[in-house]
Amino acid sequence: MSIEGSRKVTKLTDISLSFEPNPITGDISVLTNERSINNAIKNIVMFAPLEVPFQRNIGSQVSTFLFDFVDQGTAGMLNIEITRAIEYNEPRVEDVIVTVDARDDQNAFEVHIEYKIIGWDQTYVFDHILEPTR
């Protein structure tokens, strides 16, 4: 007699904040699984604290570092802030590894984020370029 275990894999869904309709159905676009998490991470990193109504703790101080010198010191501070913001605000992920590289020739920072969705075995990667807005 053999016993096989199985676990139910949860499907994660969010709506797209662009509110663009699906070209086929006309409904608001839905983001699923890792696309949903990637969008949430991007929003957490880019929102400033107090920017989300009634959610004063969501966000990060990343925008304050974007006008500093583009060097490894600022990249280190961004690394700490992004890691803190994700671990504090995104309960669906674990084993977060953030790497920030200063691109002084482009006046930008390249952010590389690796994470696992809780209950899933695969590691996901999210890359983003941070640059000051004009």
Side-chain angles (χ1 to χ4, degrees):
M1 178 171 141
S2 95
I3 299 174
E4 289 185 27
S6 66
R7 68 177 180 194
K8 185 177 178 182
V9 176
T10 307
K11 182 178 180 182
L12 305 168
T13 57
D14 284 335
I15 61 169
S16 173
L17 293 181
S18 66
F19 294 108
E20 293 177 6
N22 183 316
I24 297 172
T25 64
D27 294 338
I28 294 176
S29 297
V30 176
L31 303 174
T32 58
N33 300 335
E34 69 273 2
R35 286 189 62 218
S36 170
I37 298 286
N38 288 346
N39 192 47
I41 288 173
K42 179 181 169 190
N43 289 335
I44 288 168
V45 169
M46 298 310 294
F47 284 157
L50 304 175
E51 192 172 358
V52 179
F54 309 109
Q55 300 285 328
R56 65 187 180 112
N57 294 325
I58 293 179
S60 71
Q61 298 289 336
V62 166
S63 60
T64 61
F65 294 108
L66 296 181
F67 293 97
D68 289 349
F69 291 114
V70 179
D71 60 3
Q72 290 305 319
T74 306
M77 296 299 291
L78 280 168
N79 190 333
I80 292 167
E81 179 61 16
I82 292 169
T83 302
R84 184 208 59 79
I86 293 170
E87 289 177 352
Y88 184 76
N89 292 303
E90 185 51 77
R92 300 176 289 180
V93 299
E94 62 185 355
D95 300 334
V96 178
I97 299 171
V98 178
T99 307
V100 180
D101 291 323
R103 303 286 182 201
D104 55 353
D105 58 331
Q106 300 170 359
N107 195 31
F109 295 94
E110 183 179 347
V111 180
H112 180 81
I113 302 170
E114 295 180 22
Y115 63 89
K116 285 187 177 182
I117 298 173
I118 292 178
W120 296 23
D121 295 330
Q122 185 175 355
T123 299
Y124 296 95
V125 175
F126 176 65
D127 292 313
H128 189 68
I129 302 292
L130 294 173
E131 53 190 359
T133 57
R134 299 177 200 259

